[in-house]
């Protein structure tokens, strides 16, 4: 009689390509062309600047809420770069990077955050809840981990359609505790669904460190429990993420199976603008990860060493991004809010008469009591 | 139980059908549901079924009998035991463009999945500003069966019907079962389809055109099962049968009851209900579920809002006892409405317990 120990002797090793100085450790990675590498770097910087500025905009009281992705730029961009436009993305809420990669503009980001009339979400959701069919990126919902079984269902549909595509879903270390995670992995294995489960293990679920979240060796070991092949990757290494996601995609599609990737990283920012993480973790820990382990700087060193980037390009990029972003924000902030009709549309495919009556009642009320309503309620 | 169904009028809404006045054949509700699923799966390759025991076992209540053999394991999926999981997976498949029909062994188990039904299905079209539509059907037995205790007997009509974005249907007869299930599967919005275990084995007459594969009923229209002029009785699911029996008893005592089979809890057919109350001036609402915040309360409010001046008596609400369902047969009988409760309520609205001559 022998009980299996609760953990194995050694932790699962972590796949890494670049060291902290941006030097390749070995030749065990997918080569990335200059075009792709520079585009990846540009997007990582865009994400970084976008987060920094929008965070400030929230602190200034101009938008109600924001959540940054600082520290996780490599996961966001490199994973998107390894996929095709046909692969369907089911995000949690800390993954605007794939949207940027696929062509969602800073203006569209700003429109959503300011919920103006050009928001393609029609002002229905809080900031950072982006979604775009055009970019094959399913609308962010605040519910934690619900997107994981959704991705499995979509992967099953993709398989039935016999498409050369997969679905990918992102979630955090905290999200892996939800029942949905377990049901989804279990099911995906049974259904043989072509889905990539990408866990951003960034060490924190708001104030809950991973030591209070689970007692297993991270999230990667849970894959085998469900019959899902898995890998642990250095989440701050863009090339490692790129290689792992590309390999996972091939396995998922060609072998019709799910794959779990645990990307180890650190949530440098607060959970959101409603959080002050210095209250539950040491400031010097945050600063160390922000500076010494910055995935953007690390990748920059690699592309510079290849002769694909330099200081001048850097300052040009950062300046032009800042300008573009500030302009987008200014435009977005001054646009009108969505019309009243958008309260009542899209509840059903065809609005029922009861909703049309309510809409008319609201419009009449606003018209008859104009002094009771602000000017930006337009019928 | 044989019953001649007289259609009141033609409803042009979604799909065209003509009213027939004599029954050609009989069909159980179980067969009605099975044939509806079969026909919709045959017509549209995107329709597929998921649930516990729906495949190899032929369905916990045999509703999906024969479908695994006919359509194969890709379209009839036996799922592991995780309502939250397979509801979420069904929603994901619907997001991408398939049309899943997800079975809950009973809707009591849907509570495990309610986050996906409400937050992932009902609200997604709205929250995504029309980008994500969810053409999914959640179906299964709802409400009390017989001797299954508190955790297998609750009715969820009021809970789901409270949510914008969902449609909630409650078939009674085989015609309802066929027509409403087909409509639900074809509908682009998420639909909660509440069946009743005790009705599965009941036989109802079905006309030739109910049997036609193109048959479907409009969502949001109630049916006047029996016309009357003294009191309106609204009911859904199994209680429609009880209301009809009560109407027979009342007729012998000179009270002419109009029985409305709601068919659709959301959207609720307020205009049919109000038109009836304006005619009869009295209302009894009947439901098997808990009384507080229930369907009867909503109907009463609708009538008070729209037809207050027409009421000659307070609205009577007949519902189940406000307790978790007990098991012992005698206790269970007292915890759900019986025909005599409906009869007495109708008489109370007529303010007398002796035969009443019909008033103009």
């Amino acid at each position: 009689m022998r009980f299996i120990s609760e953990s194995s002797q050694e932790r699962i090793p972590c796949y890494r390509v670049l060291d902290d100085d941006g030097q390749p450790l070995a030749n065990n990675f997918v080569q990335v062309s200059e075009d792709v590498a520079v585009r990846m770097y540009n997007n990582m910087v865009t994400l970084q600047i976008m987060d920094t500025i929008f965070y400030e905009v929230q602190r200034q009281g101009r938008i109600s809420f924001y959540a940054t992705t600082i520290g996780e730029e490599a996961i966001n961009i490199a994973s998107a770069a390894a996929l095709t436009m046909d692969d369907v993305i089911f995000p949690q809420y800390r993954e605007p990077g794939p949207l940027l990669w696929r062509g969602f503009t800073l203006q569209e980001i700003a429109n959503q955050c300011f919920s103006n009339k050009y928001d393609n979400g029609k002002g229905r959701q809080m900031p950072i809840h982006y979604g775009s069919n055009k970019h094959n990126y399913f609308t962010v919902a605040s519910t934690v981990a619900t997107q994981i079984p959704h991705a499995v269902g979509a992967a099953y549909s993709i398989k039935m359609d016999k498409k050369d595509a997969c679905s990918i879903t992102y979630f955090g270390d905290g999200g892996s505790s939800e029942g949905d995670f377990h049901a989804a992995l279990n099911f995906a294995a049974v259904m043989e669904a072509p889905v990539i489960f990408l866990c951003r293990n960034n060490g924190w679920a708001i104030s809950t460190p991973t030591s209070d979240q689970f007692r297993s060796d991270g999230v990667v070991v849970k894959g085998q429990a469900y019959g899902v092949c898995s890998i642990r990757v250095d989440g701050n290494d863009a090339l490692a993420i790129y290689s792992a996601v590309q390999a996972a995609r091939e396995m998922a599609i060609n072998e019709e199976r799910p794959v779990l990737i645990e990307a180890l990283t650190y949530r440098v920012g607060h959970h959101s603008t409603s959080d002050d993480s210095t209250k539950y973790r040491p400031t010097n820990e945050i600063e160390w990860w922000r500076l010494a382990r910055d995935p953007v700087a690390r990748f920059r060193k690699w592309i510079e060493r290849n002769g694909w980037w330099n200081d001048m390009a850097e300052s040009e990029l950062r300046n032009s991004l800042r300008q573009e972003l500030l302009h987008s924000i200014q435009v977005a902030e001054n646009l009108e809010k969505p019309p009243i009709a958008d309260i009542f549309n899209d509840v059903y495919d065809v609005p029922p008469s009861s909703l049309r009556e309510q809409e008319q009642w609201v419009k009449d009320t606003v018209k008859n009591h104009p002094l009771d309503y602000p000017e930006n309620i337009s019928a | 139980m044989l019953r001649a169904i007289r259609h009141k009028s033609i409803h042009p809404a979604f799909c065209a059908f003509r009213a027939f006045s004599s029954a050609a054949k009989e069909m159980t509700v179980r067969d009605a549901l099975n044939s509806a699923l079969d026909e919709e799966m045959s017509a549209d390759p995107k329709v597929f079924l998921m649930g516990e025991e729906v495949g190899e076992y032929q369905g916990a209540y045999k509703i999906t009998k024969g479908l695994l053999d006919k359509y194969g394991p890709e379209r009839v999926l036996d799922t592991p035991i995780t309502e939250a999981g397979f509801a979420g997976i069904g929603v994901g498949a619907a997001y991408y463009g398939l049309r899943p029909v997800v079975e809950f062994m009973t809707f009591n188990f849907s509570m495990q999945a309610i986050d996906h039904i409400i937050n992932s299905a009902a609200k997604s079209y709205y929250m995504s500003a029309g980008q994500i539509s969810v053409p999914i059907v959640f179906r299964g037995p709802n409400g009390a069966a017989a001797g299954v205790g508190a955790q297998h007997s609750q009715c969820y009509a009021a809970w789901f019907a409270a949510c914008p974005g969902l449609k909630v249907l409650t078939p009674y007869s085989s015609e309802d079962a066929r027509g409403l299930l087909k409509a639900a599967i074809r509908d682009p919005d998420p639909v909660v389809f509440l069946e009743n275990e005790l009705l599965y084995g009941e036989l109802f007459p079905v006309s030739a055109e109910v049997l036609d594969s193109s048959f479907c009923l409009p969502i949001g229209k109630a049916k006047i099962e029996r016309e009357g002029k003294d009191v309106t009785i609204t009911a859904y699911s199994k209680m429609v049968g009880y209301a009809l029996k009560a109407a027979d008893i009342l007729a012998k005592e000179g009270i002419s009851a109009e029985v409305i089979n709601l068919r659709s809890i959301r959207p609720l057919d307020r205009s049919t209900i109000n038109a009836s109350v304006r005619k009869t001036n009295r209302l009894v609402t009947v439901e098997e579920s808990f009384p507080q915040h229930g369907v009867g309360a909503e109907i009463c409010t609708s009538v008070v809002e729209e037809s207050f001046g027409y009421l000659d008596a307070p609205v009577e609400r007949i519902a189940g006892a406000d307790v978790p369902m007990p098991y012992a047969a005698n206790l269970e009988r007292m915890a759900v409405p019986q025909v005599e409760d409906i009869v007495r309520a109708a008489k109370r609205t007529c303010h007398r317990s002796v035969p009443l001559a019909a008033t103009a």
Side-chain angles (χ1 to χ4, degrees):
Chain A
M1 178 180 80
R2 199 161 60 90
F3 286 78
I4 305 173
S5 166
E6 73 276 12
S7 62
S8 61
Q9 293 283 63
E10 285 177 18
R11 298 195 59 188
I12 302 288
C14 183
Y15 169 62
R16 239 191 169 202
V17 171
L18 299 174
D19 66 15
D20 282 339
D21 210 32
Q23 295 263 36
L25 291 159
N27 234 357
N28 59 341
F29 64 100
V30 176
Q31 286 300 336
V32 172
S33 70
E34 177 181 351
D35 282 342
V36 173
V38 170
R39 185 177 161 202
M40 274 167 64
Y41 182 71
N42 275 12
N43 275 274
M44 285 165 77
V45 173
T46 306
L47 182 48
Q48 210 178 44
I49 292 183
M50 174 180 113
D51 275 350
T52 312
I53 292 186
F54 272 108
Y55 185 85
E56 286 310 312
V57 169
Q58 194 278 342
R59 292 339 260 168
Q60 291 163 13
R62 292 153 70 193
I63 56 177
S64 65
F65 175 85
Y66 194 75
T68 63
T69 306
I70 307 280
E72 302 182 47
E73 295 88 351
I75 295 176
N76 262 247
I77 301 299
S79 63
L83 299 168
T84 72
M85 273 299 272
D86 287 333
D87 301 318
V88 181
I89 298 181
F90 287 85
Q92 178 66 81
Y93 46 62
R94 215 179 290 285
E95 306 93 11
L99 254 189
L100 291 176
W101 175 267
R102 288 182 171 191
F104 204 66
T105 64
L106 291 175
Q107 187 65 65
E108 287 174 296
I109 297 264
N111 289 343
Q112 199 281 331
C113 287
F114 282 93
S115 57
N116 61 41
K117 70 178 183 187
Y118 289 141
D119 171 20
N120 81 332
K122 295 186 192 169
R124 300 269 168 74
Q125 296 226 52
M126 293 166 65
I128 69 133
H129 288 63
Y130 319 107
S132 172
N133 273 4
K134 199 170 81 175
H135 301 95
N136 248 338
Y137 185 98
F138 273 86
T139 309
V140 173
S142 312
T143 44
V144 173
T146 50
Q147 72 281 5
I148 311 178
H150 296 166
V152 177
Y156 188 75
S157 310
I158 290 171
K159 188 172 91 156
M160 280 183 53
D161 264 357
K162 299 193 181 9
K163 282 193 80 161
D164 178 23
C166 66
S167 68
I168 183 170
T169 179
Y170 300 81
F171 50 94
D173 39 288
S176 77
S177 289
E178 280 282 357
D180 274 342
F181 166 80
H182 302 272
L185 256 71
N186 189 37
F187 245 109
V190 171
M191 289 164 94
E192 295 169 358
V195 53
I196 302 174
F197 299 109
L198 207 163
C199 175
R200 295 176 294 95
N201 182 344
N202 63 19
W204 295 92
I206 311 189
S207 69
T208 307
T210 47
S211 55
D212 286 345
Q213 193 68 248
F214 39 65
R215 286 299 161 90
S216 52
D217 172 17
V219 175
V220 65
V221 292
K222 297 181 196 205
Q224 193 174 55
Y226 295 112
V228 174
C229 80
S230 44
I231 187 172
R232 167 173 279 156
V233 179
D234 178 349
N236 287 15
D237 179 344
L239 289 182
I241 292 282
Y242 185 89
S243 299
V245 172
Q246 198 180 74
R249 181 181 182 275
E250 270 169 35
M251 264 193 285
I253 297 175
N254 299 336
E255 298 169 40
E256 284 178 352
R257 48 145 80 207
V259 181
L260 170 64
I261 300 177
E262 179 184 24
L264 298 181
T265 181
Y266 188 84
R267 192 199 74 209
V268 171
H270 307 303
H271 169 69
S272 73
T273 48
S274 311
D275 174 46
D276 174 8
S277 60
T278 60
K279 289 201 154 64
Y280 51 79
R281 56 185 188 174
T283 323
N284 56 7
E285 176 188 299
I286 305 173
E287 287 311 299
W288 184 72
W289 278 92
R290 181 196 305 280
L291 299 168
R293 289 297 197 99
D294 177 12
V296 183
R298 190 163 156 201
F299 193 56
R300 178 182 168 180
K301 289 185 182 133
W302 186 72
I303 58 172
E304 277 182 346
R305 205 170 276 116
N306 284 350
W308 299 337
W309 198 252
N310 55 48
D311 284 344
M312 200 166 73
E314 178 81 11
S315 53
E316 265 176 35
L317 174 67
R318 287 191 181 260
N319 280 335
S320 77
L321 279 172
R322 263 191 77 86
Q323 302 272 38
E324 187 189 337
L325 191 49
L326 291 173
H327 175 74
S328 303
I329 289 174
Q330 196 195 32
V331 168
E333 196 166 20
N334 290 311
L335 277 169
E336 269 177 20
K337 297 299 181 205
I340 288 184
D342 279 347
I343 299 176
F344 300 99
N345 291 331
D346 307 325
V347 182
Y348 296 100
D349 187 54
V350 174
S353 57
S354 60
L355 273 187
R356 282 278 163 254
E357 280 165 29
Q358 287 180 38
E359 183 185 348
Q360 194 53 53
W361 188 83
V362 168
K363 285 181 169 167
D364 290 342
T365 306
V366 171
K367 202 171 70 151
N368 295 334
H369 306 275
L371 296 177
D372 288 345
Y373 295 93
E375 277 165 25
N376 68 350
I377 308 268
S378 64
Chain B
M1 161 172 358
L2 292 170
R3 183 172 294 109
I5 298 172
R6 284 182 15 237
H7 296 264
K8 183 164 154 55
S9 66
I10 294 169
H11 309 288
F14 263 98
C15 23
F17 71 97
R18 296 188 323 275
F20 276 54
S21 60
S22 63
K25 197 181 128 125
E26 280 182 342
M27 188 180 229
T28 60
V29 170
R30 172 178 290 112
D31 287 341
L33 295 168
N34 183 277
S35 60
L37 289 170
D38 192 353
E39 288 159 23
E40 294 305 302
M41 287 178 78
S42 173
D44 184 351
K46 290 188 176 314
V47 177
F48 76 104
L49 310 183
M50 286 172 79
E52 294 153 5
E53 312 301 324
V54 296
E56 293 287 349
Y57 196 74
Q58 311 297 321
Y61 297 100
K62 306 294 179 261
I63 306 299
T64 51
K65 183 166 173 200
L67 298 176
L68 173 64
D69 281 341
K70 190 165 174 188
Y71 295 101
E74 280 201 342
R75 292 186 68 196
V76 180
L77 267 66
D78 273 327
T79 65
I81 308 178
T82 162
E83 280 73 11
F86 62 74
I89 285 171
V91 169
Y95 281 178
Y96 190 78
L98 292 186
R99 304 187 84 96
V101 179
V102 175
E103 176 177 302
F104 292 117
M105 202 179 282
T106 99
F107 264 90
N108 295 273
F109 307 162
S110 76
M111 291 197 285
Q112 293 253 335
I114 214 163
D115 181 46
H116 278 296
I117 299 173
I118 307 300
N119 282 326
S120 301
K123 296 180 186 170
S124 281
Y125 195 56
Y126 190 76
M127 283 169 61
S128 71
Q131 296 188 86
I132 301 176
S133 82
V134 195
I136 193 169
V137 176
F138 297 102
R139 52 157 291 274
N142 173 63
V148 289
Q151 292 169 341
H152 290 77
S153 303
Q154 191 166 333
C155 170
Y156 292 86
W159 283 25
F160 287 119
C163 284
L166 282 182
K167 290 179 174 161
V168 180
L169 302 178
T170 50
Y172 161 62
S173 62
S174 298
E175 175 182 324
D176 289 355
R178 270 183 64 78
L180 293 176
L181 185 53
K182 280 163 165 294
I185 293 172
R186 297 178 199 177
D187 199 292
D189 296 314
V191 180
V192 170
F193 192 82
L194 302 173
E195 303 157 5
N196 184 288
E197 190 202 319
L198 296 179
L199 285 176
Y200 284 152
E202 264 197 43
L203 276 170
F204 291 90
V206 281
S207 65
E209 118 297 341
V210 168
L211 292 172
D212 189 79
S213 65
S214 66
F215 176 66
C216 91
L217 286 172
I219 292 180
K221 288 299 298 172
K223 180 182 177 200
I224 307 217
E225 291 284 350
R226 178 192 177 116
E227 282 182 39
K229 43 188 165 47
D230 293 330
V231 56
T232 300
I233 305 179
T234 62
Y236 63 92
S237 190
K238 191 161 111 250
M239 290 289 116
V240 175
Y242 283 36
L244 287 167
K245 286 196 192 128
D248 282 339
I249 295 172
L250 289 164
K252 292 192 182 79
E253 306 192 27
I255 298 176
S256 154
E258 178 149 290
V259 175
I260 300 182
N261 170 5
L262 293 173
R263 282 182 166 174
S264 175
I265 309 294
R266 181 187 260 268
L268 192 60
D269 189 353
R270 295 168 215 277
S271 60
T272 297
I273 296 167
N274 276 281
S276 174
V277 172
R278 287 177 182 217
K279 182 173 75 167
T280 65
N281 312 122
R282 293 172 188 82
L283 174 62
V284 175
T285 68
V286 183
E287 64 207 287
E288 213 175 19
S289 50
F290 305 136
Q292 191 165 339
H293 306 301
V295 175
E298 177 63 30
I299 291 175
C300 178
T301 302
S302 171
V303 164
V304 164
E305 279 174 351
E306 294 182 47
S307 310
F308 182 67
Y310 293 81
L311 284 170
D312 283 349
V315 175
E316 287 274 345
R317 168 177 59 182
I318 296 299
D322 201 17
V323 302
M325 184 72 76
Y327 167 75
N330 63 328
L331 300 181
E332 187 182 48
R333 189 194 181 284
M334 297 309 292
V336 288
Q338 302 297 335
V339 175
E340 53 269 19
D341 295 308
I342 305 174
V343 170
R344 279 185 233 128
K347 286 181 181 172
R348 284 194 298 270
T349 66
C350 298
H351 282 297
R352 49 187 86 207
S353 51
V354 296
L356 170 73
T359 51

